[in-house]
Amino acid sequence: MAATQTTQQLLELFSFLQDPQAPVRRIALASLLPYTTPDAPERKLFLRPDHVEQLATIAHTSLPIPAQIIAHDALSALINLSSTLDVVLRLHKLPGFVTGLVRMIIDEKALLADLACMLLSNMSKLDAVARQVLGLRVPFTIVTSEPSPAPAPAPEGQDEQREEGPAAKMAKLETTTEEIAALDLLLEVFLKGEGKQYNANANYDFLASVFANVSLLPQGRAFLLSTPDRTIEPPLAKLISFTEHPSTIRRGGVASTIKNAAFEKAGHTRLIASSNDGPPEEGCIDLLVQLLLPLCGNEEFDIDVLDELPSELQLLPADKQRESDPQIRTILVETLVLLATGRANRDAMRRRGVYPVIKEAHAWETVQGVKEPMVRLVNLLMREEGPDTAVEEVDAPTEEDALPPVPAWTAEPASASGSGSGTSFVGASGEVVTAPVDEPRGAEPGAPALGRGDDQPFVHHNVPLSRMQPEEDEDEMLLEV
């Protein structure tokens, strides 16, 4: 009886979302917001026709401060609800909704840019939305000015001094419209916005999760690794410095992005420099330092080992701490395993001291799920190489032989196995919500909701890691010198 009464009261509140009085809409939405959390049984009421669309319309209300307050609650509700496939499909179908989110994110004065980043992070877990972001181009109006032409010389015998009118002083203005790729714009604000340097109201950390979601697609990995010519850094090179960032959200999303990019096997030799001597070869994105540095502590190496290490890993400060999140540590080590599937990279890793760093990290590690890929990596590095291994004999992983899916990133400690039992979404307050799932990632627009009712979330995980070496290589070699 009480549940029925609550349902009726909430349905009445929905009718006030279209009230012409802004205070009425604000109070109604503030009252509805607590019922959008995953543990609220009344959450399914929001899946009724038009309710999601009403929230989407309110979320794009801007400018006046009261309207911003209402839009804040609408975005927060959509963030909570976007762990549900049906909600994301409906938002994806709304004309201009994703474009509006991107415009809000890149606006340097937007008050709600971080909420828009959270919602785009959740929505881009759907393949169709990730593809839309990849192909999206945002039109910009560019105003250019031309200096006024020099005045004609005065006729002979007349005074040269004469006052120019306002029209003569004004430069000629021209406007042109140019379309810019949305990913380029998002990458720019992600780099500029760190520490609220671009927008005082946003830090843009959740864009790292958007890049991780997009990099699950081949087109997304191509964006990260492509460049007009070898003298210009590709987008991935601009992201890798954040693997040591204080924000777990930012460094976790970047770590997942790097791992997904490493599944492009054709570009592996561009991702590890051949030696520590001098700058990397032209066109090389050297990931090794940024992958190893979070795995390093304050241990002291013998002088002969120090000589092998990149200079950035030598003589680290006494207060140097290893990455605290085991899920991120797993992603970093698995990326090294992926990159070690080629002979050239394995040789480079041996020359550059990867083994002693991993040996110390393994001795420190307490999570078995992180130790397992460490053993795989060492088995690849310590195996005997000969003419038969001169080719890349260790195949990259495929979907057919994949391990259980691993979420792209979660702020909560990973399970001991390193594989997730569900999909991680961000809630409106920034907390990570893990929903149990057992279905494949994503769905095309118009597809039915995935199993077990309308509130079933869809699946997202970063590209899974397969068996990376022959099964007979089971001896643990980490303690060898």
Side-chain angles (χ1 to χ4, degrees), residues 326-442:
Q327 182 84 2
I328 298 178
R329 294 198 301 273
T330 303
I331 291 171
L332 294 169
V333 179
E334 288 182 342
T335 305
L336 289 167
V337 174
L338 285 168
L339 294 173
T341 57
R343 172 68 180 272
N345 279 355
R346 291 198 296 275
D347 289 341
M349 289 180 177
R350 294 178 185 117
R351 287 191 296 269
R352 303 181 66 191
V354 172
Y355 170 72
V357 171
I358 298 300
K359 176 182 175 181
E360 292 292 336
H362 180 269
W364 173 90
E365 186 60 63
T366 59
V367 179
Q368 186 60 32
V370 186
K371 285 187 171 186
E372 290 171 359
M374 288 181 176
V375 175
R376 293 182 185 182
L377 176 59
V378 170
N379 284 340
L380 284 171
L381 296 180
M382 301 300 289
R383 65 191 301 165
E384 292 185 3
E385 302 277 14
D388 57 330
T389 63
V391 295
E392 297 185 357
E393 79 294 341
V394 183
D395 291 334
T398 62
E399 296 293 340
E400 288 73 16
D401 63 356
L403 294 179
V406 181
W409 171 74
T410 171
E412 301 297 325
S415 63
S417 66
S419 61
S421 59
T423 298
S424 298
F425 299 88
V426 59
S429 61
E431 82 285 1
V432 171
V433 179
T434 302
V437 291
D438 55 8
E439 304 285 348
R441 177 185 187 260

Side-chain angles (χ1 to χ4, degrees), residues 9 22 29 33 47-48 61 109 182 184 230 287 291 342 408 463:
Q9 291 173 344
L29 190 49
L33 182 58
L47 303 182
R48 294 193 175 194
T61 306
K109 296 181 181 179
D184 286 330
R230 298 175 71 86
L287 300 179
L291 292 173
V463 183

Side-chain angles (χ1 to χ4, degrees), residues 98-138:
V98 173
T99 304
L101 287 181
V102 173
R103 284 188 171 278
M104 190 182 300
I105 291 169
I106 63 178
D107 183 355
E108 62 181 338
K109 296 181 181 179
L111 298 177
L112 308 178
D114 268 349
L115 289 181
C117 291
M118 293 180 188
L119 182 54
L120 187 60
S121 169
N122 284 354
M123 288 185 63
S124 58
K125 290 174 172 63
L126 186 69
D127 281 350
V129 176
R131 279 194 293 270
Q132 181 181 358
V133 173
L134 274 164
L136 184 62
R137 301 187 71 84
V138 180

